[in-house]
């Protein structure tokens, strides 16, 4: 195990901690925003986002749409749930909804996650563009979150608002606050009147105006809305079945003051709304005296834990030890109790006109001071920061099964917030963000370090509830900044040993696992390896990657069906409407990138290009929207699927990662050898690299993938290093490189890096040619189910049919083996073609056209060079056809070589009894007579 902190790390952390928060991203500002040094274990390192500028092209176009969204979006909407949870004013903001609010799926139990993603997006946008609008939004959010944490550190304080007559106290929805009254408030009275001014802010059923009781057996309550939506009062000494009740007749209006009163005495109960009796029960025999001593006396909270907390304002609460007359109740609607014939309540009287503190004075003369409290007490550590109570984290520790309406991945949400704060700090050097991030990890350590190992293993193994995203990666990144041993210790507390041990042993146990819950675990493991040197971590991550790519990967680079993995090698058997969750592609890209830092296996970057140029680009719709990011959740691969760019109201996990993806397209275009001896060009993307350490700039000009090549121009000082150009695995049509117009000798091999070593000078130009071929990729479990690629680009059929389309592709195949001559190009529309009258278009285009990613390959007749031989195309038991075997010999040096291949193949098939001799000769005659494209 490597030591947790070196002197170098300590000095680096101290330097970062001293960075000023308000520098613009000038040259000085960019220096202050520098990320920590690459870990010693990395043999290559990435460049900062600010070191690579995107040029015009598909990436810049997609990014512009997201940047426009980021510029205009009101971040107070994201902060609303955080401020509400802390009992702070929400500034009239409306939460986004969906998963980022109280009314979305599972009661908004994931709220706060999207705010973290948004912070990361803003940080990336700022680093990539230098625009101050993004910096200002970051500062606003970090400042607000600092205030939120401070409020959560202390007992709740009054939120004073305008009341019916003077001031009132508001408990905003989501604050989980209530008023706790002393036990003597009812005074054992045999007759009683209860009266309150309320202004409800939400229509949740069973939210209590008051609840005085002893558990769920003996109690009395007044709910703002009962089962029929109107106010309800009930009293019981024998649970819900024994309730004696008063039912209102109409719902209380939201955001308006209403006066409620209940009288009980002489066997009669009456419910008043705004001074008018709306319900009367002459068989109400129970009184406070009959209930005896009760354990709680609450305003705004229910004795039933499933009931919502009252959201809204209290403008006054009084209790009298007698039954007020109807006239007296009517007067209470017009004036303060002290100014009416009833006078103040003799048992309790609260005006709620306090403007600070957390207690409320009693004006009855009995001195029954009330206290403002949170239903969940308070955070277990002052570093706690969340948009919901700590109860989800507490519940998870004893939970044995998933129920996301109760606990929905609290540590996943914590990860998003933590990551966003770290990115905010790295972008601006804002110490407040680093302090918030460090405090969150201190709080997590205070909770998790006290739990037995078996409890942690159980927690992390629970689907959904135990999901923790990329938290280990973020914690190790924080440890790089702080050097604190507790932070590295915290990262180790998230080990899911049964999965990690299996993957370390190269045992595939992924069948049935939730994909996105587990992919980021392995990126975290790689970072843990960086910090500890523990080989098990890196080995498990490498083996895991190989279990997914290609064995559970769809052509576009995505994985999972209905969020889960199925058996290894099953592709056709898992295609459905909810395949390829976009978060999975995002996390597999991160894992591929991180693994490449340790081992420069070109397969990692081949995957990176596949998923980035297809699923990730295609997951972003090509139109502006101020309200939503327009990013897919699932990408269904069923025939005729139409992509949904606004799933679940627009704030899902995938829209969160989509915010990030669209603002970091340049993060893996270039890498540098750790010792500065080489520059890797991983992606052919229009961009300019500023390599400060070398004093060199590299400007890549291309319209790739619409252009089949790229030009790299060098500027700056002379520098010697190796230029390593990725040769994609699909580049079988002849990858060529020239330097200053002269061909570079050597034969680039697909699936490698081609190296050009020299001293580079300003004005040097490198031209890379990457001719595309049309090729198919077959589903691992059904070779006849195929998907089309032109170079790196997946081509999809745009057709409304909901059955699998059937295509044949050999009819005009070229001598090179290229299937493209079978397609007809669409003039003026690069990468667009037609086949049998159906449009084929790049998956990366974010449209709402019905698409077919996969099709059924059918070659019923032997057709060569556009000539039909009249011979049926025979098939072997394994699904291989005669044409498959003929074209497996491509490329052919000329027509003669193709004819020779045809002769050898038909002879073998005829000898095996798979093809008649006459039919074999007819196929050969057709091959000789036909003409072929190159």
């Amino acid at each position: 195990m490597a030591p947790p902190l070196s002197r170098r790390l300590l000095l680096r952390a101290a330097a970062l901690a001293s960075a000023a928060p308000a520098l613009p991203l000038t040259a000085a500002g960019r220096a202050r925003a520098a990320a920590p040094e690459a870990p010693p274990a990395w043999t290559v390192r990435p460049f900062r986002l600010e070191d690579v500028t995107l040029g015009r092209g598909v990436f810049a176009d997609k990014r512009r749409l997201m940047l426009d969204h980021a510029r205009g979006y009101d971040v107070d909407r994201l902060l609303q749930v955080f401020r509400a949870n802390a009992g702070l004013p929400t500034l009239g903001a409306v939460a986004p909804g969906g998963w980022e609010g109280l009314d979305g799926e599972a009661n908004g139990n994931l709220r706060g996650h999207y705010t973290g993603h948004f912070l990361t997006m803003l940080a990336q946008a700022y680093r990539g563009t230098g625009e101050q609008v993004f910096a200002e939004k970051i500062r606003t959010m970090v400042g607000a979150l600092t205030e939120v944490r401070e409020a959560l550190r202390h007992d709740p304080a009054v939120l004073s608002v305008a009341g019916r007559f003077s001031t009132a106290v508001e408990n905003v929805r989501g604050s989980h606050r209530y008023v706790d009254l002393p036990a003597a408030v009812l005074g054992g009275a045999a007759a009683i009147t209860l009266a309150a001014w309320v202004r409800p802010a939400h229509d949740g059923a069973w939210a209590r105006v008051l609840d005085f009781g002893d558990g769920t057996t003996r109690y009395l309550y007044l709910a703002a809305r009962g089962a029929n939506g109107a106010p309800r009062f009930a009293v019981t000494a024998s649970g819900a079945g024994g309730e004696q009740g008063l039912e209102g007749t109409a719902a209380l209006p939201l955001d308006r003051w209403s006066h409620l009163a209940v009288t009980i005495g002489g066997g009669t109960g009456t419910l008043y709304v705004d001074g008018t009796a709306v319900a009367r029960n002459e068989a109400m025999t129970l009184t406070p005296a009959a209930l005896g001593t009760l354990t709680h006396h609450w305003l705004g909270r229910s004795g039933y834990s499933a009931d919502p907390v009252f959201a809204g304002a209290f403008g006054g609460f009084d209790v009298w030890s007698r039954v007020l007359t109807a006239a007296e109740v009517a007067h209470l609607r017009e004036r303060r109790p002290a100014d009416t014939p009833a006078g103040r309540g003799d048992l309790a009287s609260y005006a709620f006109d306090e403007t600070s503190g957390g207690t409320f004075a009693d004006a009855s003369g009995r001195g029954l001071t009330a206290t403002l409290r949170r239903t969940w007490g308070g955070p277990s550590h002052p570093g706690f920061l969340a948009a919901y109570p700590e109860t989800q984290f507490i519940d998870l520790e004893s939970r044995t099964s998933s129920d996301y309406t109760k606990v929905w991945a609290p540590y996943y949400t914590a990860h998003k917030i933590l990551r966003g704060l770290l990115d905010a700090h790295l972008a601006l050097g804002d110490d407040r963000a680093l302090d918030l991030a460090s405090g969150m990890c201190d709080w997590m350590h205070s909770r998790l370090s006290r739990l037995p190992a078996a409890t942690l293993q159980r927690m992390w193994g629970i689907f959904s509830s135990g999901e923790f995203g990329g938290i280990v990666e973020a914690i190790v990144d924080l440890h790089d900044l702080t050097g604190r041993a507790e932070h590295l210790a915290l990262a180790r507390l998230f080990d899911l040993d049964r999965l990690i041990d299996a993957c370390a042993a190269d045992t595939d146990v992924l069948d049935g696992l939730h994909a996105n819950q587990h992919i980021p675990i392995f990126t975290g493991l790689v970072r843990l390896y960086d910090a500890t040197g523990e080989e098990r971590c890196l080995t498990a991550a490498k083996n895991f990657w190989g279990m997914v790519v290609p064995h559970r990967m769809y052509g576009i680079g995505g994985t999972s069906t209905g969020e889960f993995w199925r058996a290894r090698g099953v592709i056709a058997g898992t295609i459905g409407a909810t395949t390829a969750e976009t978060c999975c592609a995002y996390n597999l890209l991160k894992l591929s990138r991180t693994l490449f830092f340790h081992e420069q296996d070109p397969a990692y970057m081949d995957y990176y290009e596949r998923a980035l140029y297809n699923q990730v680009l295609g997951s972003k719709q090509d139109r502006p929207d101020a309200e939503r990011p327009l990013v897919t959740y699932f990408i269904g691969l069923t025939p005729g699927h139409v992509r949904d760019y606004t799933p679940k109201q627009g704030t899902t996990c995938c829209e969160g990662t989509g915010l990030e993806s669209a603002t970091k397209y340049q993060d893996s275009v270039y890498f540098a050898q750790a010792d500065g001896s080489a520059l890797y060009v991983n992606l052919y993307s229009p961009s300019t690299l500023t390599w400060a350490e070398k004093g060199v700039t590299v400007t890549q000009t291309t319209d790739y993938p619409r252009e089949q090549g790229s030009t790299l121009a060098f500027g700056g000082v002379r520098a010697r290093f190796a230029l390593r150009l990725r040769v994609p695995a699909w580049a079988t049509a002849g990858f060529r490189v020239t330097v200053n117009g002269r061909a570079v000798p050597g034969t680039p091999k697909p699936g490698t890096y081609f190296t050009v070593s020299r001293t580079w000078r300003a004005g040097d130009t490198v031209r890379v040619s990457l001719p595309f071929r049309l090729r198919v990729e077959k589903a691992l479990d059904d070779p006849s189910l195929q998907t089309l690629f032109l170079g790196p680009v997946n081509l999809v059929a745009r057709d409304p049919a909901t059955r699998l389309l059937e295509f044949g592709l050999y009819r005009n195949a070229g001598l090179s083996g290229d299937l493209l001559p079978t397609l007809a190009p669409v003039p003026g529309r690069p990468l667009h073609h037609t086949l049998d009258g159906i449009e084929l278009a790049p998956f990366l285009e974010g449209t709402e056209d019905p698409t077919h990613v996969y099709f059924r390959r059918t070659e019923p007749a032997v057709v060569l060079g556009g000539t039909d031989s009249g011979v049926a195309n025979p098939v072997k038991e394994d699904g291989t056809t005669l044409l498959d075997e003929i074209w497996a010999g491509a490329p052919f040096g000329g027509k003669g070589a193709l004819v020779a291949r045809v002769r050898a193949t038909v002879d073998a098939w005829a000898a095996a009894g798979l093809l008649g001799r006459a039919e074999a000769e007819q196929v050969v005659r057709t091959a000789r007579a036909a003409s072929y494209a190159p």
Side-chain angles (χ1 to χ4, degrees):
M1 301 281 280
L5 184 66
S6 66
R7 176 177 173 79
R8 179 174 56 81
L9 281 173
L10 274 171
L11 292 172
R12 173 158 32 100
L16 282 164
S18 67
L23 274 176
L25 204 57
T26 59
R30 287 172 186 264
R32 288 295 183 97
E37 296 174 22
W42 290 5
T43 50
V44 301
R45 62 171 179 79
F47 290 93
R48 303 174 307 168
L49 291 177
E50 51 265 48
D51 294 334
V52 183
T53 304
L54 284 180
R56 295 179 59 182
V58 62
F59 289 113
D61 290 343
K62 296 270 188 179
R63 185 180 71 166
R64 175 180 50 78
L65 293 169
M66 194 64 82
L67 292 179
D68 286 346
H69 171 73
R71 289 185 190 100
Y73 198 84
D74 180 6
V75 295
D76 281 326
R77 296 189 60 193
L78 299 169
L79 295 166
Q80 194 271 351
V81 289
F82 284 89
R83 287 171 167 147
N85 188 50
L88 296 173
T90 57
L91 310 183
V94 178
W99 288 6
E100 196 63 26
L102 285 161
D103 293 315
E105 190 171 350
N107 308 309
N109 278 345
L110 212 65
R111 60 191 183 276
H113 81 114
Y114 197 74
T115 302
H117 285 299
F118 209 91
L119 263 175
T120 292
M121 174 190 66
L122 291 173
Q124 293 175 170
Y126 180 53
R127 299 187 77 159
T129 69
E131 291 184 33
Q132 282 298 308
V133 63
F134 303 124
E136 290 306 316
K137 286 177 179 285
I138 292 171
R139 293 186 185 106
T140 296
M141 296 178 74
V142 171
L145 293 175
T146 301
E147 293 173 358
V148 165
R149 187 182 70 173
E150 185 62 22
L152 290 170
R153 288 166 67 105
H154 303 290
D155 292 333
V158 169
L159 180 56
S160 182
V161 296
R164 176 66 174 81
F165 301 109
S166 178
T167 59
V169 58
E170 183 173 27
N171 289 334
V172 297
R173 185 161 180 250
S175 68
H176 296 269
R177 304 200 310 179
Y178 68 101
V179 180
D180 190 12
L181 306 178
V185 67
L186 293 178
I192 201 165
T193 298
L194 307 160
W197 277 104
V198 295
R199 190 186 67 194
H202 187 255
D203 60 0
W206 302 113
R208 302 292 202 259
V209 173
L210 63 89
D211 192 309
F212 303 159
D214 184 11
T216 56
T217 303
R218 296 182 300 145
Y219 55 80
L220 60 85
Y221 70 78
L222 174 59
R225 288 176 182 245
N228 67 350
R232 171 179 169 80
F233 176 84
V235 58
T236 181
S238 56
E243 287 184 358
Q244 299 176 5
L246 297 163
E247 298 280 354
T249 56
L252 298 182
L254 297 181
D255 301 316
R256 280 172 43 193
W257 287 104
S258 296
H259 187 266
L260 300 176
V262 175
T263 63
I264 304 175
T268 298
T270 306
L271 171 64
Y272 296 86
V273 177
D274 289 332
T276 300
V278 297
R280 186 176 179 85
N281 184 345
E282 296 181 353
M284 189 165 280
T285 59
L286 292 173
T287 65
L291 296 182
T293 303
L294 301 175
T295 57
H296 69 257
H297 301 79
W298 298 331
L299 302 182
R301 180 180 180 183
S302 171
Y304 286 86
S305 60
D307 289 341
V309 179
F310 178 81
F314 288 96
F317 178 67
D318 284 81
V319 185
W320 291 265
S321 59
R322 63 185 180 87
V323 174
L324 298 188
T325 66
E328 288 176 311
V329 172
H331 281 296
L332 292 173
R333 184 177 181 274
E334 304 300 329
R335 294 182 295 278
R336 286 173 173 265
D339 301 326
T340 69
R344 294 188 178 95
D346 62 313
L347 292 179
S349 181
Y350 303 97
F352 294 124
D353 54 9
E354 287 83 357
T355 57
S356 63
T359 58
F360 305 101
D362 170 30
S364 71
R366 301 177 69 209
L368 301 180
T369 301
T371 305
L372 187 63
R373 302 193 189 281
R374 298 186 183 98
T375 61
W376 48 286
S380 62
H381 185 280
F384 176 74
L385 177 63
Y388 47 68
E390 200 172 359
T391 47
Q392 280 206 56
F393 299 92
I394 296 168
D395 187 331
L396 178 61
E397 293 169 8
S398 59
R399 180 164 290 277
T400 58
S401 61
S402 178
D403 181 353
Y404 80 146
T405 66
K406 299 286 195 311
V407 179
W408 191 4
Y411 286 96
Y412 174 96
T413 307
H415 162 245
K416 305 310 171 191
I417 300 166
L418 174 63
R419 181 76 264 170
L421 290 168
L422 284 172
D423 292 333
H425 169 70
L426 292 172
L428 298 182
D430 192 328
D431 290 340
R432 298 172 303 169
L434 182 60
D435 183 60
L436 289 170
S438 183
M440 286 186 70
C441 288
D442 292 344
W443 158 72
M444 284 188 275
H445 187 261
S446 74
R447 288 211 68 88
L448 298 177
S449 62
R450 294 180 294 187
L451 298 177
T455 300
L456 293 171
Q457 294 298 314
R458 172 178 48 75
M459 287 165 57
W460 308 143
I462 302 174
F463 159 59
S464 184
S465 297
E467 185 174 357
F468 53 76
I471 202 165
V472 174
E473 175 192 4
I475 295 169
V476 175
D477 287 353
L478 175 69
H479 173 260
D480 281 353
L481 293 168
T482 67
R484 292 179 50 197
E486 310 94 280
H487 293 160
L488 188 57
L490 172 63
R492 299 309 309 261
L493 295 176
F494 288 91
D495 283 358
L496 181 56
D497 287 335
R498 70 172 183 270
L499 175 64
I500 298 169
D501 289 342
C503 289
D506 206 15
T507 302
D508 190 330
V509 295
L510 303 189
D511 188 5
L513 291 184
H514 182 256
N516 198 52
Q517 181 167 346
H518 296 92
I519 298 170
I521 288 176
F522 293 92
T523 307
L525 281 179
V526 180
R527 292 293 288 118
L528 205 54
Y529 166 80
D530 295 336
T532 67
E534 186 177 341
E535 289 289 344
R536 164 183 176 263
C537 298
L538 184 60
T539 300
K542 288 180 181 179
N543 290 342
F544 166 80
W545 190 91
M547 295 171 190
V548 179
V549 181
H551 303 290
R552 293 177 172 89
M553 181 194 75
Y554 301 109
I556 59 173
T559 187
S560 80
T561 181
E563 299 194 4
F564 288 81
W565 281 309
R566 303 306 178 201
R568 183 184 180 105
V570 178
I571 300 298
T574 61
I575 285 176
T578 57
T579 34
E581 183 186 356
T582 307
C583 273
C584 294
Y586 163 89
N587 277 310
L588 275 174
L589 286 176
K590 291 192 75 171
L591 177 59
S592 302
R593 181 176 190 265
T594 308
L595 286 170
F596 191 88
F597 296 154
H598 296 83
E599 179 182 347
Q600 288 72 64
D601 184 344
Y604 294 136
M605 283 298 122
D606 276 334
Y607 172 79
Y608 201 96
E609 180 184 64
R610 174 194 296 269
L612 181 65
Y613 276 88
N614 294 290
Q615 173 150 6
V616 171
L617 281 180
S619 69
K620 174 73 185 84
Q621 191 171 18
D622 295 332
R623 70 175 180 84
D625 193 293
E627 179 69 16
R628 297 157 299 186
L630 299 182
V631 178
T632 59
Y633 190 141
F634 296 115
I635 293 179
L637 300 178
T638 50
H641 178 80
V642 176
R643 284 173 232 172
D644 180 2
Y645 297 98
T646 55
K648 300 176 182 285
Q649 300 182 55
T651 53
T652 65
C653 52
C654 294
E655 281 146 308
T657 54
L659 295 172
E660 297 183 29
S661 291
T663 48
K664 63 168 186 173
Y665 290 134
Q666 73 270 41
D667 76 343
S668 298
V669 178
Y670 309 98
F671 294 152
Q673 198 77 29
D675 61 3
S677 62
L679 176 68
Y680 286 79
V681 180
N682 302 308
L683 300 173
Y684 299 100
S685 175
S687 54
T688 297
L689 166 68
T690 301
W691 193 0
E693 293 87 343
K694 291 287 188 181
V696 169
T697 63
V698 180
T699 299
Q700 189 175 172
T701 304
T702 180
D703 195 26
Y704 187 92
R706 300 184 186 97
E707 177 184 352
Q708 299 183 23
S710 185
T711 300
L712 291 86
F714 288 77
V717 301
R718 294 174 58 175
R720 183 165 186 83
F721 56 88
L723 183 67
R724 293 183 176 155
L725 303 162
R726 188 174 67 87
V727 186
W730 51 261
T732 58
F735 182 98
R736 293 180 296 278
V737 178
T738 63
V739 176
N740 299 330
R742 295 184 177 181
V744 178
T747 304
K749 181 181 177 182
T752 65
Y753 279 81
F754 185 70
T755 300
V756 183
S757 296
R758 58 180 277 142
T759 298
W760 299 95
R761 299 170 175 83
D764 282 347
T765 301
V766 175
R767 176 63 188 172
V768 180
S769 296
L770 298 93
F772 293 177
R773 283 182 177 167
L774 185 71
R775 71 185 191 281
V776 297
E777 289 189 0
K778 303 174 182 179
L780 298 177
D781 51 334
D782 183 354
S784 71
L785 191 72
Q786 300 180 2
T787 186
L788 275 178
F789 280 84
L790 183 58
V793 176
N794 182 240
L795 296 182
V796 296
R798 289 180 176 169
D799 191 274
T802 55
R803 54 170 176 76
L804 281 171
L805 299 177
E806 297 184 351
F807 289 140
L809 296 168
Y810 286 134
R811 67 190 81 162
N812 287 310
L815 293 172
S816 64
D818 191 357
L819 302 173
L820 190 59
T822 297
L823 309 186
V826 178
R829 301 187 71 192
L831 301 176
H832 286 250
H833 299 77
T834 60
L835 176 61
D836 299 335
I838 295 173
E839 181 186 15
L840 298 174
F843 184 94
L844 61 84
E845 293 183 349
T847 73
E848 293 180 295
D849 296 293
T851 60
H852 297 245
V853 172
Y854 284 91
F855 63 93
R856 184 70 68 193
R857 181 74 174 273
T858 58
E859 307 278 356
V862 178
V863 181
L864 295 166
T867 303
D868 190 342
S869 68
V871 175
N873 186 24
V875 185
K876 290 182 176 179
E877 287 186 3
D878 65 359
T880 302
T881 71
L882 177 68
L883 283 172
D884 291 334
E885 200 155 301
I886 289 171
W887 287 106
F892 301 107
K895 179 177 176 179
L898 170 60
V899 173
R901 173 74 178 190
V902 171
R903 165 57 70 188
T905 304
V906 298
D907 285 349
W909 281 57
L914 298 172
L915 184 69
R917 178 51 61 185
E919 294 170 318
E921 295 304 319
Q922 180 59 33
V923 171
V924 174
R925 285 193 294 272
T926 301
R928 288 178 178 146
S931 298
Y932 304 93

